[in-house]
Amino acid sequence: MRAGADRLRPEWGSLPASLRARIADTLGGDIVIDSPAQGGFSAGYAGIVRTAHAEAFVKAIGATGHRDSRTFIRREIRALQAIPASLAPRVLATIDDEESTALVLEVVPGIHPGDPWTIEQLHVVAAEIARLARTPAAESIFPAERSMLRYYARWQTIAEDAALTASLPHDLAERMPDLLRLEQLLPNAVTGPFLAHGDLRADNILIDGERAHFIDWPHARRGAAWLDGPLLPPSVEASGGPRCADAWEILRVHGAPDAASMLPVISGFASFLWWGQGQPEIPELPGLRAFQRAQARPLLRWLAELL
C-alpha cells in the first residue's frame, strides 16, 4: 500500500520565484539542492531544501495551486503553534499571504515504518501514541467533535446509497442498524481534552532508534485519549503487518483501552474509508481512493469481528 499523490507534486523550481527567495532567506543563502518528499496526499511542494549553511523541510504552494493542499498547510501552521515542541517538528519560519503559503520545519531524523510493519516498530509507535494520549491539548486545537464528525459519521449516508450498502463485505449490510446506533454514540466517544495527531499512518511517522516522531499535523485534534489508536491498525495490516486485532493488542500493552470501548470510533473510521473509496477520483490526488480501499477492507473485517 503506497500513498501515491507525490507524482503530481510541483517541483521546487515551479514555485513562485518570490516564495523561493523568501524561503532561502530564512535558511541564510541560495538554495543549493532540494530533495522532494515521496508519499502522502498533497498537491503542494514538499521536500528537504539545502543551502550551504542550513537545511529544512519545506511545504509550500502558490496561490494558484490545489486549494485543499494550501488549506492543509495553513491548518498545520496553526496546529504546530500550539503543540509541544517535544511532540512535533520545530517550526523555523512560516509564510502566508495572497501569493503563497509555506511552512519551513526542522528536518526530522528517522525512517518510515512498514514494508512490512514489524512488531518492534509497532511498540515504538504505540509508546508515542501513549505519550499523546496523556498530553492535554491547547484550546486552540480543533475539538474532535467539531472536526471529525462531518467525516467519520458516514453510515447514514452509506445506508442511503444502495451500491455502497450492497457492496459492504462481512455481512455488514445486515448490521446497518447496529452501525447507525454506533454513529449516534460517536460525538461522546471522541470528546476529550487530549492531543491527537488525527492522520496516523506510516508516511506520517518517522522512527529514529527507540523513538517515533509524528509528522504532518494539519488534522491535529483535541479529543478522547487514544483517539489515534483506531486509525493505525488498518494501515498496518494493509501494509503487510499484523492483523488489526493483533496490532491493537500491542497498543494495549502501552495503555490503550479495550477495543470494544473504542467501537464507535472504529466504526466511524470504517464509515469514512468505505464512503471515501466509493467517491470519484480527485485528479490532483491520484491513488487516494485505492489507498482508502486498501485500508477499508481490513478495518471492516475487524469491525465485523468486534460486532
Side-chain angles (χ1 to χ4, degrees):
M1 182 183 66
R2 177 177 171 78
D6 56 280
R7 292 181 181 84
L8 285 188
R9 288 190 189 274
E11 297 180 357
W12 171 255
S14 71
L15 294 173
S18 59
L19 176 59
R20 285 181 278 132
R22 292 172 69 182
I23 293 171
D25 285 345
T26 67
L27 299 180
D30 294 333
I31 301 299
V32 175
I33 191 173
D34 80 290
S35 302
Q38 303 298 318
F41 287 101
S42 171
Y45 173 82
I48 297 174
V49 297
R50 295 180 174 88
T51 70
H53 307 288
E55 67 176 11
F57 190 87
V58 174
K59 299 181 179 183
I61 194 166
T64 60
H66 184 231
R67 184 177 62 182
D68 286 350
S69 296
R70 193 177 190 192
T71 296
F72 289 149
I73 295 178
R74 286 172 163 163
R75 287 180 182 174
E76 186 168 13
I77 290 172
R78 197 162 52 239
L80 290 177
Q81 292 170 341
I83 295 172
S86 61
L87 298 175
R90 183 166 57 94
V91 177
L92 304 180
T94 63
I95 297 168
D96 189 20
D97 55 31
E98 292 182 358
E99 295 183 352
S100 52
T101 301
L103 175 58
V104 184
L105 301 165
E106 67 174 339
V107 175
V108 178
I111 60 172
H112 295 296
D115 295 326
W117 279 78
T118 66
I119 299 298
E120 292 75 18
Q121 289 174 341
L122 269 170
H123 277 290
V124 172
V125 173
E128 187 66 12
I129 299 175
R131 190 174 288 110
L132 292 188
R134 57 179 180 264
T135 299
E139 289 296 315
S140 59
I141 297 291
F142 285 137
E145 63 271 24
R146 173 181 163 192
S147 61
M148 288 180 70
L149 294 184
R150 61 179 294 194
Y151 302 106
Y152 281 51
R154 298 286 193 182
W155 285 121
Q156 184 61 55
T157 303
I158 292 170
E160 295 168 0
D161 187 315
L164 279 177
T165 301
S167 57
L168 276 166
H170 311 298
D171 298 323
L172 282 171
E174 299 176 8
R175 305 299 299 271
M176 188 59 72
D178 296 324
L179 299 174
L180 293 173
R181 280 193 290 271
L182 285 172
E183 189 158 279
Q184 296 302 310
L185 300 176
L186 188 58
N188 286 337
V190 302
T191 300
F194 299 105
L195 180 63
H197 178 277
D199 192 22
L200 209 54
R201 56 182 200 244
D203 58 306
N204 288 337
I205 300 169
L206 289 167
I207 293 180
D208 182 31
E210 296 183 355
R211 175 71 192 273
H213 301 281
F214 296 164
I215 58 176
D216 201 20
W217 285 85
H219 304 288
R221 296 174 175 127
R222 172 165 39 93
W226 286 92
L227 193 56
D228 284 318
L231 311 186
L232 187 64
S235 65
V236 169
E237 183 173 340
S239 299
R243 287 163 60 98
C244 290
D246 297 327
W248 189 262
E249 289 307 307
I250 292 175
L251 269 61
R252 291 205 69 192
V253 171
H254 295 266
D258 182 80
S261 68
M262 300 292 289
L263 192 51
V265 182
I266 294 169
S267 177
F269 187 39
S271 79
F272 164 74
L273 290 175
W274 189 247
W275 179 86
Q277 62 83 37
Q279 303 312 299
E281 295 287 350
I282 301 173
E284 296 88 352
L285 305 178
L288 174 61
R289 301 314 182 194
F291 184 79
Q292 292 172 327
R293 195 170 301 118
Q295 293 186 78
R297 291 185 182 116
L299 183 55
L300 289 169
R301 191 202 65 250
W302 187 33
L303 175 60
E305 292 170 355
L306 290 169
L307 287 174

